[in-house]
Amino acid sequence: MTPPDGAAPAPEKKSRAGRDLPAAIAVGATLGVSIILILLFAPMIWYGVVSVAFAIATWEVAKRLRSAGYDIALWPLLIGGQAIIWVSWPWGPTGVLVAFVATVLVSMVWKLLAQGINNAPVNYLRDLAVTVFVLAWLPLLASFGVHLVVQEDGAARVGTLMVVVVCSDVGGYAAGVLFGKHPMAPAISPKKSWEGLVGSLLIGTIGAVCCITFLIGSHWWIGLILGPVLVVCATLGDLVESQVKRDLGIKDMGTLLPGHGGIMDRLDSLLPSAFVVWAVLTALL
């Protein structure tokens, strides 16, 4: 129905979780299908996908931080972040560690020279600390997720990461919307509830057991370990980004993905989860 003249248009209808649910589902399904096709037919393209995604995510975070007054070392972050991701292909965790430390050293010198050249007051310690935080938060954690694909049954391991995170997200969303009454961390993320966490644990663990059994073809009990640990870390990763956004006074890191926000807003729970999947599967398989 057309509103009468002078009346305000009806507000956009959103879900109880605060997002445009149809757009979020459409974007999520498109991304999911694309990842499945890559893992099935050209798994090594995963490196290119992750490198592009994290270049965009780093730019989003850097832009928000700079708007809030943090003068981070952007170019060392972008170039060093790519190095951290790509060196995991031939050299694994050792290469990642070397690239990470090298980027930290470059960032230290970069900020020092920037202060001397600009001859302006710079909060060196604060800005360098935030630079290192972003470097560890994004490309360092991402390197574990991308390195999964070169391991034995690599495509299945990456698939396990994606499926269990999605199961955790869906289980938490459904349980939170249907049963959520007790906020988990109202000062950080008011919509997260303990009931939602239970739903995430249940569906995420079921997903992990199924992936370990049918995708990887190993002992089902590994899923009982992987599922709960991954769900807890994914939830904490989401809360970390929520706290960062609260500190910056923003709702989303970006606007690239309708219904989700920016690329970084989709990667928050995947980042610690990538390390968990790499660590658990490397140790137990």
Side-chain angles (χ1 to χ4, degrees):
M1 180 182 297
T2 303
D5 293 341
E12 180 183 359
K13 186 176 181 180
K14 293 186 178 181
S15 68
R16 285 179 57 187
R19 15 176 186 172
D20 183 351
L21 193 56
I25 292 174
V27 170
T30 301
L31 293 175
V33 171
S34 301
I35 291 171
I36 290 171
L37 292 175
I38 288 171
L39 294 177
L40 285 176
F41 299 108
M44 296 313 297
I45 293 179
W46 182 240
Y47 265 89
V49 171
V50 172
S51 67
V52 171
F54 276 89
I56 297 172
T58 301
W59 183 270
E60 289 176 343
V61 174
K63 182 179 178 181
R64 292 297 196 179
L65 287 169
R66 288 194 162 190
S67 296
Y70 296 92
D71 187 18
I72 62 173
L74 178 58
W75 287 109
L77 268 178
L78 290 173
I79 297 172
Q82 291 297 302
I84 289 169
I85 290 172
W86 284 99
V87 298
S88 68
W89 188 340
W91 296 302
T94 300
V96 168
L97 178 61
V98 170
F100 175 77
V101 174
T103 306
V104 171
L105 293 176
V106 170
S107 299
M108 293 168 64
V109 176
W110 183 279
K111 291 303 304 173
L112 194 65
L113 293 177
Q115 182 173 0
I117 293 173
N118 294 333
N119 195 27
V122 175
N123 196 327
Y124 177 82
L125 184 59
R126 183 201 65 179
D127 293 340
L128 180 61
V130 174
T131 299
V132 175
F133 167 72
V134 174
L135 190 69
W137 187 25
L138 274 68
L140 181 60
L141 289 178
S143 68
F144 292 99
V146 74
H147 184 59
L148 288 170
V149 82
V150 300
Q151 296 181 315
E152 185 179 356
D153 298 319
R157 296 189 185 208
V158 175
T160 297
L161 165 65
M162 306 304 294
V163 168
V164 180
V165 170
V166 169
C167 286
S168 173
D169 194 21
V170 170
Y173 175 81
V177 168
L178 295 174
F179 310 111
K181 294 181 179 179
H182 300 88
M184 181 192 307
I188 302 174
S189 182
K191 293 184 174 66
K192 284 196 176 299
S193 65
W194 290 108
E195 292 83 359
L197 178 60
V198 172
S200 290
L201 286 168
L202 177 62
I203 304 302
T205 301
I206 292 173
V209 170
C210 291
C211 286
I212 294 296
T213 303
F214 300 111
L215 275 183
I216 297 179
S218 189
H219 304 293
W220 63 270
W221 55 265
I222 295 176
L224 291 182
I225 298 173
L226 176 64
V229 176
L230 188 151
V231 167
V232 170
C233 288
T235 302
L236 291 174
D238 193 12
L239 289 174
V240 165
E241 198 209 14
S242 294
Q243 183 60 62
V244 170
K245 289 190 291 189
R246 280 188 172 272
D247 284 358
L248 298 178
I250 59 175
K251 183 175 184 280
D252 295 313
M253 285 292 183
T255 58
L256 187 60
L257 302 176
H260 294 274
I263 293 287
M264 186 58 204
D265 296 298
R266 277 291 81 206
L267 297 175
D268 51 4
S269 57
L270 278 167
L271 288 168
S273 302
F275 172 76
V276 168
V277 171
W278 176 85
V280 172
L281 298 188
T282 300
L284 298 181
L285 291 184

